[in-house]
Amino acid sequence: MAVAAATTATGFDCRKAWAETLESLAAADERIVVVVNDSVGSSNLGGFQEKFPRRTVNVGIAEQNMVGVAAGLANGGRIPFVSAASCFLTARALEQIKADVAYAGFNVKLVGQSSGIAYGELGATHHSIEDFAWLRALGPITVIAPCDAWETAEAVKWAAAHEGPVYLRLSRMKVPTLDLPDRSFTPGKAELQRAGTDVTIIANGTTVHLAIEAAETLAAEGISARVLNMHTITPLDTDAVISAARETGAIVTVEEALDRGGLGGAVAECTSATHPVPVQRVGFPGFMPTGSIASLFEEFGLSREGIAGAARIAIRRKGA
């Protein structure tokens, strides 16, 4: 039976879903605390701070201390959610994430806000396109990039219940909610958005709805594109990737991140070791120029037509 997801017309800010879900969880579990770097407002945590002032730790603009404090809280039995702009959380505090969270295995939940190129006009210093590669390389951290508000809420619930370090990558970009019957969220298991036999498009985060739109464009040309929402990069759903390689023979990866080291790198590593097929990686090639989100997405192929074009190339490559 064919599976196809549609998207709602209205976009939603996933940060609202994250904050509301966390407040609900904190009301039922006093172990939950938040640690921030002067980012209560941008993290949408004003409501949390008002309800739980003694469980809101604001360390100021000191991201390394922020992660260290969270590790100490986790060691003391708390469940800390560390929230900050991901460009500062994952870059400035990478050593603390490596030593105090990943290596130590502490139960810290890292929440990267305004990820990718959400701060488009502020330029490369505020873009966060390396985070997938950095945190995937650390291994023990579960890395999740929700695609919409519903999946964000489910990911926050799962992270709170999961024993171990987690990185949730959120955007400030409004995205549509996917309309798929009987949705479920299981970390490490890809969500099939659309069945297909000619090529597979694997996307996550803000690019999933674009992948679905690209599949619709391809369908009009007689090309059957499978679409997978690979919300979890670590651990990767290797079974879904291998099945896609065997059954469609060509893969396109799409991510609002570097085109290497993250989702595209993980998929390429998996296929090269198990079932080699053409893999076209759609992402950013390096430091990005200053510009609006829309203009940068369009310029670097993170668009309906850009993804469809990458799929056409992948299909030609498998027939070469």
Side-chain angles (χ1 to χ4, degrees):
M1 181 186 209
V3 176
T7 58
T8 61
T10 305
F12 295 92
D13 188 335
C14 293
R15 295 176 301 167
K16 187 173 186 293
W18 120 265
E20 291 178 350
T21 304
L22 190 67
E23 285 181 33
S24 177
L25 293 170
D29 190 341
E30 64 180 14
R31 296 175 300 165
I32 292 176
V33 298
V34 297
V35 187
V36 295
N37 63 333
D38 244 5
S39 58
V40 170
S42 60
S43 294
N44 277 31
L45 289 172
F48 188 101
Q49 184 178 48
E50 183 176 340
K51 292 177 182 177
F52 312 107
R54 292 178 61 83
R55 289 153 65 184
T56 304
V57 182
N58 190 341
V59 302
I61 304 175
E63 289 79 7
Q64 294 169 324
N65 288 345
M66 177 178 65
V67 173
V69 166
L73 288 168
N75 191 39
R78 298 284 185 168
I79 304 175
F81 280 78
V82 181
S83 182
S86 61
C87 58
F88 303 126
L89 171 61
T90 62
R92 190 169 293 159
L94 185 59
E95 180 184 1
Q96 283 68 35
I97 292 173
K98 173 186 174 182
D100 298 343
V101 178
Y103 178 69
F106 283 138
N107 191 32
V108 175
K109 319 303 174 181
L110 305 166
V111 185
Q113 305 283 353
S114 303
S115 303
I117 58 165
Y119 289 128
E121 291 84 352
L122 296 179
T125 58
H126 282 63
H127 296 163
S128 180
I129 60 175
E130 307 89 355
D131 53 346
F132 280 157
W134 287 338
L135 297 187
R136 178 175 164 252
L138 294 181
I141 299 177
T142 302
V143 178
I144 301 173
C147 70
D148 61 12
W150 178 87
E151 195 165 79
T152 298
E154 294 301 304
V156 173
K157 294 173 190 174
W158 180 86
H162 174 70
E163 182 67 33
V166 177
Y167 175 58
L168 298 180
R169 190 195 207 238
L170 306 183
S171 175
R172 67 191 296 131
M173 185 190 313
K174 290 185 177 180
V175 291
T177 297
L178 302 185
D179 183 14
L180 190 69
D182 303 321
R183 288 188 74 182
S184 63
F185 174 77
T186 304
K189 293 295 180 183
E191 182 182 51
L192 178 65
Q193 296 292 327
R194 187 183 182 104
T197 56
D198 296 325
V199 63
T200 298
I201 305 173
I202 304 177
N204 64 14
T206 56
T207 67
V208 174
H209 73 282
L210 298 173
I212 295 169
E213 293 173 5
E216 293 168 353
T217 294
L218 294 168
E221 303 170 9
I223 298 173
S224 175
R226 178 180 304 181
V227 178
L228 295 177
N229 168 20
M230 193 67 73
H231 45 67
T232 312
I233 296 183
T234 306
L236 185 73
D237 187 349
T238 55
D239 289 340
V241 173
I242 295 168
S243 293
R246 288 175 174 163
E247 295 165 11
T248 69
I251 293 175
V252 175
T253 62
V254 192
E255 57 194 313
E256 188 191 352
L258 282 177
D259 58 8
R260 55 196 181 277
L263 176 62
V267 169
E269 290 169 18
C270 177
T271 56
S272 65
T274 57
H275 193 88
V277 296
V279 176
Q280 289 292 124
R281 292 174 291 176
V282 178
F284 300 125
F287 292 126
M288 299 295 290
T290 298
S292 69
I293 297 171
S295 66
L296 293 176
F297 266 47
E298 187 67 32
E299 176 69 20
F300 291 91
L302 280 76
S303 63
R304 181 181 192 134
E305 183 51 43
I307 297 167
R312 297 184 195 104
I313 293 173
I315 291 170
R316 287 199 299 269
R317 287 179 59 199
K318 76 173 179 178

